[in-house]
Amino acid sequence: MPTAHVDTFARDNLPPAAEQPQFLFALPELQFPAQLNCASELLDRHVADGSGGRVCIRAPGVTWTYAELQEKANRIAHVLASDLGLVPGNRVLLRAPNNPMLAACWFGVIKAGGIAVGTMPLLRAKELKAIIDKAQVSHALCDAALADELREAAAACPTLRRLRHFNHAGPDSLEAAMQRHGATFANVDTAADDTCLLAFTSGTTGVPKATMHFHRDIMATCACWPPHVLRPQPDDVFIGSPPLAFTFGLGGLLLFPLAVGASTVLLEKAAPPQLLDGIAQFGATVLFTAPTTYRTLAARGIELRRTRLRKCVSAGEALPASTRALWKEATGIEIIDGIGATEMLHIFISADEASARPGATGKVVPGYVARVVDDDGNELPPGTVGRLAVKGPTGCRYLADERQKSYVKDGWNYTGDAYLTDADGYFHYHARTDDMIISAGYNIASPEVEDALMAHPAVAECGVIGAADEERGQIVKAYVVLRPGQAAGEAMAAELQQFVKQTIAPYKYPRAIEFIDALPRTATGKLQRFRLHELHREQTK
Ligand code: 3UK
């Protein structure tokens, strides 16, 4: 397949063929042409079909039709290619809260043959720098409201040459540049297996990993779970909380609605109160959010029953049976649970409303196969907890990363989850097999929080674990050993929490801090996190 990439960085840094997962394309809807640009399929196709006048994106005070989104994306593609010297294959960092211009930028990058690199709005300069360095980012499109941390990072990043800001009115803004260009653009004729998206995930070590996704993967993910499980209609109105930088949000709030010609509501702030208002105000019918939000919003069942909401998707962490029951009771709606992963792009095990089973995530999504295996990769009988292994049309490709070997073995993707199956083929979530903390839907790696804490002068050493929590699934709990002469206590705990919030994204701060005399370590000096878990269990008995 002829690549359109002039900059071959992505192709050069793919995992070696022997380390890649096996890809499955048996379904008729997974037959892709050699040349494919996913922006043509998801966006331009609707305008060509005569649906350009249909509403595509809504936000407070904004309504864009498909034709309007296409025009903005085309102008952005021109700015990138002409003004900013982008060549196909370059990486473009995108930074904004969920809003219409972010969506337009995403498509602008894809149309121009660039590779989109999303970043979580809460990330700070240190974290942005790691992403820019890893992805060798050359261009950035950034919401003016989030300019500061990126500007600080950019100063320390020699690869990042061109930066434009949007959602502001200055003469040097992206919008001003867009007006100097035409409203049509001939999409770069990318190969189906050209990378178009680098999705970062912090994984277990805190050293960010970049997962690589092709144009074909974007279309594959739209062809599997949505039509087989979600079954959205063109008149559906999507809404939700996950950032577009998180593939859960990218799929649920941009790719899937556009794939069926529906509309999407993008909210910059999507905490439960804003989500509730948005559902009512925009007549949203399909909601994407995490289990904690369902738990909180369940208290507003009376108001929710008066809205048009009909489908509710939960992912990011395990959905407790109690939350499913609470939501059903409050709203009458059965939640569609689904496990996805950044490596897999989106959901691969799920159940629709009619086949949902409390406590189970669901069955394997058509297009994928999944099994529960022992440490040697042998399939385990129903009822036995083991490692979840999956394969399908999408799969893990880490950009230049040794950890590829642990995620992919013998062609199977290992998500790091412990699962069991039941006699009917349902998959039941058990736990993470590693030390990733998942708190309120956010992935937090213990070592990253430890790093941040240890930068404080009062901290001698520390160990961080995920402690079970009713509301958030897990919370970040830190065990801290103070330097001699430092006083433990609430004042110190508060100071350390504040300190962490200043250096890394605030959601990663330790909500619980315990002071101890020494950390449990192995003879070789390795921190024994499992002992901290034991300690925590002792304390909370
Ligand atoms: C956990 C779940 C139980 C699980 C994601 C939907 O969460 C997403 O991607 P991440 O890379 O994390 C992946 C890990 O999160 N998980 C996700 N969903 C569930 N555990 N039940 C669930 N329903 O440990 C998994 O390995 O952040 C989710 C779509 C796209 C995504 N990227």
Side-chain angles (χ1 to χ4, degrees), residues 283-339:
T285 55
V286 180
L287 172 63
F288 281 75
T289 191
T292 23
T293 306
Y294 286 110
R295 196 169 266 282
T296 308
L297 277 182
R300 315 298 291 270
I302 294 165
E303 290 138 281
L304 284 161
R305 279 178 185 267
R306 288 195 219 106
T307 69
R308 294 180 58 212
L309 192 62
R310 68 181 190 106
K311 284 180 181 280
C312 296
V313 180
S314 172
E317 59 187 334
L319 176 70
S322 61
T323 305
R324 174 185 287 288
L326 197 65
W327 188 254
K328 180 77 191 280
E329 172 77 25
T331 65
I333 301 171
E334 193 74 70
I335 291 176
I336 301 173
D337 189 7
I339 177 172

Side-chain angles (χ1 to χ4, degrees), residues 120 200-203 211 246-249 251-252 256 288 291 313-319 336-349 360-361 388 407 414-419 429-434 436 438 441-443:
M120 299 286 209
F200 274 83
T201 174
S202 58
T211 66
F246 180 22
T247 64
F248 179 36
F256 303 161
F288 281 75
V313 180
S314 172
E317 59 187 334
L319 176 70
I336 301 173
D337 189 7
I339 177 172
T342 308
E343 289 82 353
M344 303 302 298
L345 195 49
H346 220 273
I347 292 173
F348 50 85
I349 290 173
T361 311
L388 180 65
Y407 204 96
Y414 285 81
T415 62
D417 296 293
Y419 258 84
Y429 178 80
H430 187 69
R432 288 289 306 173
T433 53
D434 56 24
M436 168 106 70
I438 303 182
Y442 284 111
N443 285 355

Side-chain angles (χ1 to χ4, degrees), residues 15 26 67 108 114 153 160 201 211 228 230 252 277 325 332-333 338 382 386 410 435 437 492 497 499 502 517:
L160 180 51
T201 174
T211 66
H228 288 110
L230 182 65
D277 286 350
I333 301 171
D410 298 325
D435 268 319
I437 302 166
M492 177 63 79
Q497 288 171 325
F499 181 78
Q502 299 302 316
D517 292 332

